[in-house]
Amino acid sequence: KAESEAIESTNTHDNDNKHHNTDKQPSNPSKSFDNWIGWHNDSGFLTALAGDLYVDDATGTALPPSHIDPRAGLYVTDRSGESIKVSIPEDCMAVQIGECLQILTGGAVAATPHCVRGPRPGWNDDGVKVARISFPCFVDAKPTFPLTMPEGCGRENVLESGVGRDKVPPLEERWTENGMTFGNFLQTSFEKYY
């Protein structure tokens, strides 16, 4: 597997601008890996994502890396099913594949399951509540756009190309027919996720 400064492996297993603070963590965050934003695939085509900005929730002041739990942040599932922490450098953007592109390419590319993990309780004792700000840019289609796989492609090619099927609602339960419109797919996905 290729490694770079932007992606670092770990041993453990976003839709508008996101601002998350530790007050929204579940009662026992150590039991929930994805305690800020749960595991999901982006439903659209592509998502461009700048690096995270961590701030003091009370003041909005940017925090230095020493105040940030090194295990907090964005995680993706790689093609082998392993969860990997992604750190996007300040001068870079990451691009994630969405489920629409997975369908339109007949599974040649697969959507990227991802989640956001908050800081571990008690990681930093200085009393600062950490908030995360991210800025994703989603490339989607008009609601009437038909999600049609390539001619000669089987539905199984699209469905079996995905990874992290144990982390997200199965695509076959949301993309119920070839040619389903993006709007209907999005509505069905929201119903399955929420």
Side-chain angles (χ1 to χ4, degrees), residues 88-146:
I88 305 168
E90 285 185 25
D91 60 345
C92 295
M93 292 189 79
V95 177
Q96 294 182 153
I97 303 296
E99 290 175 320
C100 287
L101 202 53
Q102 181 174 330
I103 294 166
L104 293 178
T105 65
V109 296
T112 310
H114 54 286
C115 74
V116 177
R117 183 178 196 185
R120 292 169 287 174
W123 185 83
N124 195 339
D125 296 356
D126 62 6
V128 172
K129 289 185 180 177
V130 176
R132 171 185 176 261
I133 299 172
S134 67
F135 187 71
C137 177
F138 299 95
V139 178
D140 292 333
K142 63 183 180 180
T144 57
F145 183 84

Side-chain angles (χ1 to χ4, degrees), residues 24-42:
K24 296 179 183 168
Q25 291 184 12
S27 59
N28 190 351
S30 63
K31 298 240 183 227
S32 178
F33 183 88
D34 57 350
N35 58 359
W36 264 357
I37 300 175
W39 284 103
H40 66 285
N41 282 336
D42 291 341

